[in-house]
Amino acid sequence: MRIVSWNCSMAYYKKRHLIEALQPDVLILQEVAKKDISSAGHPFAAWTGSNPNKGLGVLGIASARYKVTEFADPNLPWHLPFSVDGLNIVALWAHQLNRELRYVRVTHQIVDRHSGFLSGETALLMGDFNSNSVWDKHHPGRNHSMLVEKLGGLGLSSVYHRTGVTGEGAEPTKTYFHTRNQRFGHHIDYAFLSNGVPADLMVGDSGDWLAHSDHMPLILDIG
């Protein structure tokens, strides 16, 4: 199964061909319009957000068993829990509700709310986390390193970090470039998958994708 997550920086209808060329079975999209999800014409579609032009969407492209079993609290922007062929997925765009509840702090609460769903035999938390261990000091009590530890307690690990080549906060591969400037890159998009589930993760090359978004797509192949 191939799952692709991409913050498309809006105007998805102009970029759809680019991401579909990656042949995803499931597509997680951040900063996507509700109409682009509802009109896609795929077997499964879901969207959430407060701005109809800029929310979180999921498309199930492959023929599979899709099911929504968990309620997504609208006060925790933005996430979509669903399952596909027995894989429990929480799609994520860690956004900001207010000064206190923002980014990694939101993700902590999302994980707490859906801990049972994510601690199943096969589960995945994937998307734009808007967080990294380098900013731990800005989120005392609910920082990124603590989130990694919390997810580890649920049996989930970052597929990117599984090789042990690099630690949290020292990632040479960047997934986001502020103002699309390659000098200001950060690693803030992740796929946390149940331990023991074989998977490969690729990050889109900035030379190919930076003209279309400040985020690079994550391409996760499971199995």
Side-chain angles (χ1 to χ4, degrees), residues 4 9 13 16 18 21 45 105 107 111 133 170 172 185 192 210-211 213:
V4 175
S9 296
Y13 66 95
R16 176 176 174 173
L18 299 170
R105 303 180 191 190
T107 307
V111 171
S133 292
F192 281 83
L210 202 56
S213 174

Side-chain angles (χ1 to χ4, degrees), residues 78-91:
W78 302 114
H79 65 294
L80 286 168
F82 65 103
S83 64
V84 51
D85 284 348
L87 171 65
N88 291 344
I89 302 174
V90 176

